[in-house]
Amino acid sequence: MSERQDPDDRETDRQEKTQGAKDGARAAEEALATVGAAHPPGAPAASGAQDAEAAGSGTRAQDAEAAGSGTQTNTPASDGGGGKEHVQALSSGKGAGMDERGTTTPALRRQAALALVLLGIVIIAVAAFTTPWDVLTGGPPDPARDFTAAQIARGEAFDAATSLPSYLSLALTLIFAGVLVATPFGAKVLTWLRGPWWLRVILGTVVITAIVEALRWPLGMWFETILREYGLSTQDWAGWTADRLKSLGVETGLLCLMLLVLVALARKVRRWWIPAAAGAFAFTVAASFVYPVVFEPLFNDFTSMPQGTLRTNLLDMAARDGVPVKDVLVADASRRTTALNAYVSGFGATRRIVVYDTLLQAPQKEVELVVAHELGHAKYDDVLHGTLIGALGSAFGAILLYVIFDPLRRRTKVMSITDPRAVGALMGLMTIGGFLLGPAQNLISRHIEARADVHALDLTRDPATFIAMQKRLATTNISDLTPNAVEYVLYASHPSSPERIAMARAWARLNGVPLP
């Protein structure tokens, strides 16, 4: 299940307006997605965390975050000797094959382009092989069969109210990213920075991120106000601000690390796309693995589910399903939201299933069904597969930067990718690329979520409770029960609640279970 997010937060995997209230842990996930590690298809966040249920119509892209940064001229005065090094490198023949430090020749770009095509074929093959394209579906969804006119109208009203700040934030982000890529704005903003190249990369990232956040902050407050009006947010402004700043700090720190490594490689290695692609792959895998134990605790406190019938039933169900689960954790989400949610994150030794404390107020059988959905993600290794695709996508992005950046750099008035002022253009390209990949990622995600639903039904054989649970999630999280077709195709990472209910009835007919 996913939740309605602040218009300034992303999912990398992560750029969605979800159907529940914003939650700090998910904000951390989106921060990981923003740093350029492609949001793994099938796993809602680049961190590898996998949402359990879309309590509604799925999601809408809000703001492919333009965490772009400006850049700095590469002169002896501003580079701490960098200009001298550049002259020496050219005169000595160091970096043969490059026109100047960090720039590439057509021959080198053709080599990288060939690798890019081959890697793209691999990504398509992996996505095609790991995605359940033939998952069970129901007939045409009929919201009026299971929801009252008032419930449908409330979902539509909430969606309409949040659309304006969401799309304004998205438009602002994409426009800013375009400016960073197509104009010398970033370079001009950061020309005043001084110090060694690595310091200017860091400062440039921080400065441009701060500019974007300052522009989007009022939209975030507007969105939060709407959540409060509809009863989905329980935060005060101090808590909201703290969560937002923590998320921004995680995002900026990881982004600085990525860009420092990228620029350092470009300064030292002629075919820097090779180590950059390998590093991007490794970074995405590592981030997904450590996310549950490093980043989630920054936003939520987690406790083991108390001893009792529910805990016993959940662990027994996991054992019956053949999924090793050492513990089921409860997140203190109620200090932020009234929305219901659960998710699985990490893989291997860090894999865990988390339920919101708000979900524990639901009937026990419904909680068990939600966890059965999570077990489906774990059983089919959805997080691991999503991480693999995301890691391959990150490597693809690194090679693509090598291929396209040199032709684009002239618009931004930077010398090469090694110029710290190029950071702005790099971040703008990451933002635009992430936004363009969103529809394909969400298409894969919808199929994976549908398979987890079928798994929950196979495990519990209780379509009546499944439908009751979907109705509770949709009404509590104020889902849009009649999503716009275009928005659904482009932005929905989960099937809508009426679609999931229709699938449950199709499952009942197929398995000879009385129709609920």
Side-chain angles (χ1 to χ4, degrees):
M1 144 193 11
S2 54
E3 60 224 78
R4 179 83 60 169
Q5 300 169 352
D6 182 314
D8 297 314
D9 292 326
R10 272 187 70 186
E11 224 299 354
T12 274
D13 337 238
R14 148 263 188 96
Q15 304 175 23
E16 305 171 339
K17 185 178 80 178
T18 58
Q19 301 303 314
K22 175 191 168 195
D23 146 83
R26 309 305 292 165
E29 277 186 85
E30 292 152 10
L32 285 170
T34 304
V35 300
H39 198 65
S47 65
Q50 177 73 46
D51 278 335
E53 306 285 336
S57 63
T59 55
R60 174 184 302 141
Q62 297 183 51
D63 63 56
E65 171 136 51
S69 98
T71 48
Q72 166 73 27
T73 47
N74 209 0
T75 64
S78 61
D79 194 31
K84 181 179 179 181
E85 293 169 3
H86 175 55
V87 173
Q88 291 174 341
L90 290 178
S91 62
S92 66
K94 182 180 178 181
M98 295 188 179
D99 300 312
E100 55 187 30
R101 186 178 64 178
T103 61
T104 62
T105 65
L108 291 176
R109 289 198 295 273
R110 284 194 295 271
Q111 295 174 14
L114 176 60
L116 192 70
V117 171
L118 295 176
L119 183 56
I121 293 172
V122 171
I123 293 172
I124 292 173
V126 172
F129 179 77
T130 59
T131 302
W133 301 107
D134 59 347
V135 68
L136 177 67
T137 58
D142 182 12
R145 178 174 178 179
D146 299 286
F147 299 94
T148 67
Q151 289 170 335
I152 294 173
R154 180 172 170 78
E156 292 175 345
F158 180 57
D159 182 73
T162 54
S163 290
L164 186 54
S166 296
Y167 279 122
L168 284 175
S169 183
L170 173 62
L172 185 154
T173 300
L174 292 178
I175 290 171
F176 191 79
V179 168
L180 290 174
V181 170
T183 76
F185 174 81
K188 291 180 178 179
V189 167
L190 299 176
T191 297
W192 54 272
L193 293 178
R194 294 294 183 268
W197 69 267
W198 57 266
L199 179 60
R200 284 183 283 130
V201 168
I202 295 173
L203 293 177
T205 303
V206 171
V207 168
I208 294 299
T209 300
I211 292 173
V212 176
E213 189 61 23
L215 293 173
R216 296 170 356 132
W217 195 278
L219 295 173
M221 296 184 69
W222 182 5
F223 195 95
E224 173 67 12
T225 300
I226 295 171
L227 294 182
R228 295 182 184 187
E229 289 175 354
Y230 279 85
L232 283 174
S233 176
T234 61
Q235 281 190 299
D236 57 22
W237 287 113
W240 178 84
T241 301
D243 275 350
R244 191 180 184 90
L245 291 177
K246 283 190 290 185
S247 178
L248 186 65
V250 170
E251 169 193 324
T252 305
L254 293 173
L255 189 54
C256 287
L257 175 61
M258 287 185 58
L259 293 174
L260 280 171
V261 172
L262 179 64
V263 174
L265 289 173
R267 292 169 65 90
K268 298 295 184 181
V269 183
R270 180 173 62 176
R271 294 179 175 85
W272 58 260
W273 61 269
I274 298 175
F281 183 96
F283 179 83
T284 303
V285 174
S288 179
F289 182 78
V290 305
Y291 171 76
V293 294
V294 175
F295 296 104
E296 285 185 358
L298 296 175
F299 297 90
N300 283 98
D301 293 328
F302 299 90
T303 58
S304 294
M305 183 173 287
Q307 296 291 337
T309 303
L310 178 58
R311 176 185 172 87
T312 299
N313 288 352
L314 294 179
L315 294 178
D316 287 347
M317 182 170 60
R320 188 169 70 251
D321 197 27
V323 177
V325 174
K326 295 181 180 180
D327 200 2
V328 178
L329 301 181
V330 179
D332 61 340
S334 59
R335 64 190 176 99
R336 292 188 181 87
T337 180
T338 60
L340 309 179
N341 196 11
Y343 62 92
V344 58
S345 61
F347 58 89
T350 64
R351 182 172 66 191
R352 60 186 187 172
I353 292 175
V354 178
V355 299
Y356 281 15
D357 54 359
T358 52
L359 184 61
L360 299 182
Q361 301 171 15
Q364 180 171 312
K365 283 187 173 294
E366 294 183 21
V367 178
E368 292 175 5
L369 226 154
V370 170
V371 173
H373 174 104
E374 297 307 322
L375 292 175
H377 287 309
K379 190 177 185 68
Y380 291 107
D381 289 322
D382 290 339
V383 171
L384 182 59
H385 292 153
T387 299
L388 173 61
I389 296 174
L392 291 171
S394 297
F396 184 93
I399 302 173
L400 183 62
L401 282 176
Y402 186 93
V403 172
I404 69 173
F405 188 82
D406 201 52
L408 290 177
R409 69 181 175 83
R410 295 173 182 84
R411 292 180 176 272
T412 60
K413 305 300 183 184
V414 297
M415 186 191 325
S416 72
I417 201 169
T418 63
D419 184 344
R421 295 179 307 154
V423 169
L426 290 172
M427 298 170 77
L429 287 170
M430 290 178 181
T431 294
I432 295 170
F435 174 75
L436 295 176
L437 286 174
Q441 295 168 354
N442 288 326
L443 173 64
I444 293 173
S445 179
R446 287 195 297 271
H447 284 81
I448 288 175
E449 294 298 332
R451 178 175 63 185
D453 282 345
V454 173
H455 180 83
L457 289 167
D458 289 339
L459 188 58
T460 63
R461 301 191 64 81
D462 191 356
T465 299
F466 181 94
I467 290 174
M469 177 263 293
Q470 287 296 331
K471 293 170 68 174
R472 180 183 300 275
L473 294 174
T475 55
T476 301
N477 295 356
I478 319 180
S479 302
D480 184 4
L481 302 171
T482 57
N484 175 275
V486 174
E487 288 184 353
Y488 179 83
V489 170
L490 294 179
Y491 308 128
S493 64
H494 295 66
S496 68
S497 293
E499 284 181 309
R500 301 171 93 166
I501 290 172
M503 183 280 296
R505 292 195 172 105
W507 183 94
R509 286 191 294 269
L510 186 64
N511 289 271
V513 177
L515 288 177

